[in-house]
């Protein structure tokens, strides 16, 4: 059971203290308090764990400070929607709001290779009004002989350039607890010029100790990719690992499924699951067209497969696009063949705008139809 308190409920107030004393008196029931900081107000959610079936919804609603009560119906206790269509959730990070209505583009280098390429990419982003990017410092690879990323060596200049070009958030994969500490140290030394969205890659979706570690820290939001060879339910439970440890600022990423049935694309595109994840959880949903398609092939209409796939995800309601760009793909140390070019960024942004407009029109159409019915 989840108790959603009235906005900006003060923990020092007499009503809040009375509520907590009552909850403490409940036998066999423990509680976890979580705070959701929105743009304009702060919400408090209290999760009651244990034998809550015996608790009356009406009585719990009558308790001081309580605005709403949600009875948990599914396995995703923290991130689940629990059958409530009007159970909103959002979080703000570095002035950027994330929820199931927003849409952000994270275009950048799959793997940082040189300072020059990082600066070229960030300069292009600024020129086109973008404040988010992706920059991989730690890269898990299938082959032990492939480039594994520069690691902490590149963090100082990546963060410095982010500050120079007004980049607010960098999506950066981590594969070990020590990487989070290295990122925190480098951010501190740089004076916190930007923020980092920790990324859990598809190979680590079931690295439960890493998930727990990323969940225990409260500073950075986490982007978790769907596991490439596991079910959607298993991947959503991996996201729940993060939230169960205390960090509910989680974005779920679809990046295609590993199967030869998707050939000639790198993976079978799974962006039809965008609305499914919206229905089952309150998480914003990211799509990763680069790692789904894996090439720069284009159809007879002249549109790149990557852009076709992106539009499919956006028109289904995606809230974030994580996409590979590189100033010189032939010199990229990771995934060069699939990278878009900086000069293609305005085309990519406009194509996304068109797809998003189509999504908004579809949503408005359904609402008008429902209102008429």
């Amino acid at each position: 059971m989840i108790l959603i308190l009235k906005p900006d409920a003060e923990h020092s107030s007499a009503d809040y203290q009375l509520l907590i004393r009552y909850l403490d008196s409940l036998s066999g029931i423990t509680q976890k308090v979580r705070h959701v900081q929105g743009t304009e107000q702060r919400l408090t959610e209290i999760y009651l764990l244990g034998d809550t079936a015996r608790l009356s919804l009406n009585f719990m609603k009558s308790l001081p400070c309580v605005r709403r009560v949600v009875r948990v119906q599914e396995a995703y206790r923290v991130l689940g929607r629990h059958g409530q269509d009007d159970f909103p959730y959002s979080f703000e990070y570095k002035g950027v709001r994330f929820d199931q209505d927003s849409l952000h583009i994270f275009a950048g280098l799959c793997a940082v290779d040189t300072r020059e390429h990082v600066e070229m990419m960030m300069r292009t982003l600024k020129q086109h009004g973008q404040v988010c990017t992706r920059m991989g410092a730690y890269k898990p690879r299938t082959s032990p002989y492939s480039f594994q990323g520069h690691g902490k060596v590149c963090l100082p200049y990546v963060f410095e350039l982010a500050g120079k070009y007004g980049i607010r958030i960098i999506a950066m994969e981590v594969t070990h607890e020590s990487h989070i500490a290295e990122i925190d140290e480098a951010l501190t030394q740089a004076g916190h010029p930007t923020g980092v969205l920790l990324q859990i890659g598809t190979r680590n979706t079931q690295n439960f100790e890493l998930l727990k570690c990323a969940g225990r820290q409260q500073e950075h939001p986490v982007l978790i990719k769907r596991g490439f060879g596991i079910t959607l339910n298993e991947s959503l439970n991996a996201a729940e690992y993060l939230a169960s440890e205390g960090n509910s600022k989680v974005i779920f990423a679809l990046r295609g499924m590993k199967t030869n049935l998707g050939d000639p694309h790198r993976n079978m595109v799974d962006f039809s699951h965008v609305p499914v994840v919206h229905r089952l959880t309150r998480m914003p949903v990211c799509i990763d067209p680069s790692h789904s398609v894996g090439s720069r092939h284009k159809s007879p209409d002249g549109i790149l497969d990557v852009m076709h796939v992106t539009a499919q995800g956006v028109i289904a309601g995606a809230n974030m696009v994580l996409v590979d760009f590189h100033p010189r793909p032939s010199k990229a140390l990771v995934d060069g063949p699939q990278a878009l070019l900086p000069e293609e960024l305005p085309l990519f942004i406009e194509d996304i705008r068109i797809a998003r407009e189509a999504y908004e029109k579809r949503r408005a159409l359904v609402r008008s139809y429902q209102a008429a019915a």
Side-chain angles (χ1 to χ4, degrees):
M1 179 176 287
I2 305 172
L3 307 184
I4 304 172
L5 304 192
K6 296 175 182 176
D8 301 315
E10 292 292 337
H11 293 191
S12 58
S13 68
D15 281 347
Y16 182 84
Q17 296 299 322
L18 181 62
L19 170 65
I20 295 301
R21 283 198 297 273
Y22 172 73
L23 297 179
D24 287 340
S25 71
L26 296 175
S27 175
I29 294 177
T30 59
Q31 56 189 272
K32 286 187 177 181
V33 180
R34 302 182 189 277
H35 305 292
V36 180
Q37 183 62 57
T39 305
E40 299 178 353
Q41 63 185 16
R42 181 172 183 260
L43 292 179
T44 299
E45 297 178 351
I46 301 179
Y47 291 73
L48 303 182
L49 308 176
D51 181 19
T52 60
R54 58 189 171 87
L55 300 179
S56 164
L57 286 178
N58 289 333
F59 178 76
M60 300 304 288
K61 290 178 184 177
S62 70
L63 294 175
C65 293
V66 175
R67 180 185 185 184
R68 185 176 181 181
V69 180
V70 176
R71 193 177 292 282
V72 174
Q73 299 175 346
E74 290 131 9
Y76 322 123
R77 294 186 180 181
V78 180
L79 298 172
R81 187 172 286 277
H82 307 301
Q84 308 293 314
D85 289 337
D86 58 343
F87 191 9
Y89 173 75
S90 67
F91 66 87
E92 187 173 314
Y93 182 61
K94 302 300 179 181
V96 180
R97 182 175 61 87
F98 295 90
D99 58 21
Q100 291 189 347
D101 289 320
S102 58
L103 176 58
H104 305 290
I105 301 173
F106 281 67
L109 308 184
C110 183
V112 172
D113 44 24
T114 69
R115 179 189 177 103
E116 177 190 13
H117 290 158
V118 171
E119 183 157 21
M120 291 171 68
M121 189 66 233
M122 289 189 178
R123 183 187 301 117
T124 301
L125 292 169
K126 182 176 183 180
Q127 289 171 349
H128 296 286
Q130 300 300 300
V131 297
C132 301
T133 188
R134 65 173 304 171
M135 291 283 163
Y138 310 94
K139 296 301 299 180
R141 307 297 299 282
T142 301
S143 170
Y145 309 111
S146 299
F147 175 65
Q148 306 285 320
H150 289 309
K152 66 179 181 180
V153 175
C154 71
L155 297 181
Y157 67 76
V158 170
F159 295 155
E160 172 201 337
L161 292 171
K164 178 179 178 180
Y165 291 101
I167 301 299
R168 298 184 189 177
I169 306 174
I170 302 172
M172 184 172 288
E173 185 168 357
V174 294
T175 64
H176 191 271
E177 179 178 357
S178 62
H179 298 162
I180 302 175
E182 290 171 1
I183 288 171
D184 286 336
E185 181 180 359
L187 283 172
T188 299
Q189 291 178 351
H192 293 276
T194 188
V196 172
L197 172 63
L198 301 179
Q199 180 179 311
I200 305 295
T202 187
R203 294 172 177 82
N204 278 306
T205 300
Q206 290 191 304
N207 183 343
F208 301 121
E209 295 309 312
L210 177 61
L211 296 178
K212 292 176 184 177
C213 178
R216 283 192 293 268
Q217 62 81 36
Q218 303 293 306
E219 175 64 23
H220 311 288
V222 181
L223 172 73
I224 181 169
K225 288 191 174 184
R226 177 178 182 167
F228 63 77
I230 60 177
T231 66
L232 179 63
N233 176 63
E234 289 169 323
S235 293
L236 292 177
N237 272 308
E240 190 73 12
Y241 261 92
L242 297 162
S244 69
E245 291 291 332
N247 189 349
S248 58
K249 295 180 290 186
V250 182
I251 302 168
F252 188 80
L254 298 167
R255 46 83 66 202
M257 296 294 295
K258 180 70 71 175
T259 168
N260 288 338
L261 296 177
D263 292 346
H265 288 164
R266 183 172 174 179
N267 292 298
M268 173 71 80
V269 181
D270 57 353
F271 296 171
S272 62
H273 278 164
V274 170
V276 176
V277 179
H278 279 169
R279 182 174 70 250
L280 295 176
T281 79
R282 297 182 288 162
M283 288 186 287
V285 181
C286 171
I287 56 172
D288 181 350
S290 299
H291 289 83
S292 296
V293 172
S295 73
R296 285 182 51 84
H297 293 147
K298 63 177 64 175
S299 58
D301 58 20
I303 301 175
L304 292 168
D305 286 7
V306 167
M307 293 178 64
H308 270 305
V309 166
T310 301
Q312 291 166 19
V314 172
I315 207 170
N319 311 114
M320 174 177 161
V321 180
L322 188 72
V323 59
D324 291 359
F325 274 75
H326 199 285
R328 295 169 184 155
S330 63
K331 295 186 177 181
L333 299 178
V334 177
D335 289 340
Q338 68 192 28
L340 300 181
L341 301 171
E343 53 265 34
E344 293 174 318
L345 181 60
L347 171 66
F348 188 73
I349 293 172
E350 177 63 13
D351 197 51
I352 286 178
R353 187 198 65 77
I354 293 171
R356 178 67 179 187
E357 183 180 1
Y359 168 71
E360 296 287 356
K361 289 181 177 179
R362 294 174 64 225
R363 187 163 64 171
L365 174 64
V366 170
R367 288 175 175 174
S368 64
Y369 177 82
Q370 292 173 336

